[in-house]
Amino acid sequence: MSAQNTGLRLTTRGRQAVRLLRTLLIAAVVIGGALLLATQSFSAAAVAEPEAETIGIDAEEVVVDEGQSLWTVASNLDLDRDTRDVVADIAELNHLSTPTVHPGQTLDVPVR
């Protein structure tokens, strides 16, 4: 046996199998990298604080007391406006999807 002929010799089917394996490996790396980037960008988006939104209403903070509703908070402000409009402003300022408030909750409320 000669020392020159010690390399690996593959059949046509063997070469196809090696190419397929190489392609699958590259595809796995590419897909894994894409998934990693996607999850990091979604995580960063979830952690990022929303930008402050200006709606053109001067506001101050109040703390909801026991037994108060959004309506009573709005009524206690003694603004010269319809209470329904004040409730709508409070909901908009605080991004409330329901009128439910809880004792101890801090709300931004419109001022005169």
Side-chain angles (χ1 to χ4, degrees), residues 5 7 13-14 20 26 33 35-36 38-40 43-44 48 55-56 62 65 67 74 80 82-83 85 88-89 91 112:
N5 226 1
R13 183 177 279 178
L20 177 63
I26 291 170
L35 287 174
L36 180 65
T39 56
Q40 285 180 348
S43 297
I55 60 172
V62 297
D65 292 327
D80 296 329
D82 188 323
T83 305
D85 294 335
D89 287 346
R112 293 181 195 217

Side-chain angles (χ1 to χ4, degrees), residues 24-106:
L24 290 175
L25 182 62
I26 291 170
V29 168
V30 169
I31 291 171
L35 287 174
L36 180 65
L37 288 175
T39 56
Q40 285 180 348
S41 65
F42 285 132
S43 297
V47 172
E49 291 185 27
E51 293 182 21
E53 187 177 315
T54 304
I55 60 172
I57 299 174
D58 291 329
E60 65 181 22
E61 287 185 348
V62 297
V63 178
V64 177
D65 292 327
E66 184 72 38
Q68 280 190 315
S69 65
L70 195 54
W71 186 268
T72 56
V73 170
S75 297
N76 291 342
L77 295 175
D78 289 329
L79 299 177
D80 296 329
R81 297 175 44 213
D82 188 323
T83 305
R84 291 174 291 198
D85 294 335
V86 177
V87 168
D89 287 346
I90 294 171
E92 185 176 3
L93 280 168
N94 295 282
H95 308 287
L96 300 176
S97 57
T98 66
T100 305
V101 291
H102 304 283
Q105 181 177 358
T106 303

Side-chain angles (χ1 to χ4, degrees), residues 3-23:
Q4 296 175 348
N5 226 1
T6 59
L8 181 63
R9 294 178 53 136
L10 295 174
T11 63
T12 303
R13 183 177 279 178
R15 284 191 297 273
Q16 289 174 343
V18 169
R19 273 189 247 133
L20 177 63
L21 184 60
R22 183 180 58 208
T23 303

